Amino acid sequence: MIPAFDPFTTQMNLATGLLDPERETTRQHLSDMQGWYAETVDADDSDPLVYRVLHMPVPEENSEIQCSTTVLEPGAVGREYFMTRGHFHEVRDRSEVYIGLAGEGRLVLATEDGRHVVEPLVPGAVCYIPGGWAHRTVNVGDEPLVFFAAFVGDAGHDYGTIEKQGFPVLVVAGDDGPEVVPNPGYDT
Ligand code: S6P
Ligand code: ZN
């Protein structure tokens, strides 16, 4: 075969997640997260950055491996920690691997029939996300949560299902640290 493009290397700062050379970056500010938290988001003029995704330049084809770094800031909306929106893959059976690099987080996983699992996402954690499991990350610490993700190239992202039904559980700040509680807004 004639290769589609040349090999490339990206230098990643394991503490900050920043890439050299810089890569295309998508940003979610608090005002972009309206409707994703149990409480109404009150994004004042400061409208803080919640998370960034730094994408490697790879075609969205199933012969390739998409990869990216996510940097999720510390913070909360009410008792609910800052988190990513979370999604199923559009092609449901497409799997993914997360590797924790910095900070302290949780990976919340759920199936369409309502099962859920919550895994620690900490430096060195290699979390395997099988096809069919929606995934969301939550920063339960005081520092940015940084993780690397690699997934099947044609997976695509279905945000609408999660936007509508939510996850079965929320990760919230309790008196003695993070707690996993049922999501009162979960809609099967
Ligand atoms: C992509 C992978 C991650 C997330 C990122 C942001 O399949 O799971 O790169 O895209 O952590 O989360 P979300 O839910 O807003 O895409
Ligand atoms: Zn994914």
Side-chain angles (χ1 to χ4, degrees), residues 52-135:
R52 283 169 285 165
V53 184
L54 296 71
H55 306 270
M56 301 284 179
V58 178
E60 294 183 12
E61 297 168 2
N62 76 345
S63 53
E64 304 298 345
I65 300 170
Q66 291 284 328
C67 33
S68 60
T69 312
T70 301
V71 182
L72 174 57
E73 302 296 332
V77 175
R79 292 174 61 217
E80 203 174 357
Y81 295 104
F82 274 7
M83 62 187 186
T84 58
R85 290 169 294 175
H87 56 268
F88 286 97
H89 288 153
E90 191 76 50
V91 184
R92 284 290 191 271
D93 67 359
R94 298 310 197 229
S95 56
E96 181 153 7
V97 173
Y98 280 2
I99 302 175
L101 301 176
E104 184 187 1
R106 299 288 184 272
L107 170 60
V108 182
L109 302 132
T111 59
E112 282 180 287
D113 62 2
R115 285 181 291 154
H116 75 271
V117 174
V118 179
E119 298 283 339
L121 182 57
V122 293
V126 180
C127 303
Y128 191 82
I129 303 168
W133 287 85
H135 38 289

Side-chain angles (χ1 to χ4, degrees), residues 78-81 140 171-181:
R79 292 174 61 217
E80 203 174 357
Y81 295 104
V140 301
V171 183
V172 301
D175 292 339
D176 299 316
E179 290 177 5
V180 177
V181 299

Side-chain angles (χ1 to χ4, degrees), residues 26-30 32-37 50-53 55 70 72 80-88 98 108 134-138 147 157-164 166-167:
T26 52
R27 292 178 174 79
Q28 295 288 320
H29 287 260
L30 197 52
D32 302 316
M33 300 288 292
Q34 192 66 261
W36 290 88
Y37 292 94
V50 179
Y51 63 97
R52 283 169 285 165
V53 184
H55 306 270
T70 301
L72 174 57
E80 203 174 357
Y81 295 104
F82 274 7
M83 62 187 186
T84 58
R85 290 169 294 175
H87 56 268
F88 286 97
Y98 280 2
V108 182
H135 38 289
R136 163 181 286 165
T137 52
V138 183
F147 63 93
H157 295 86
D158 167 13
Y159 295 101
T161 302
I162 294 299
E163 193 169 17
K164 179 173 167 292
F167 276 75

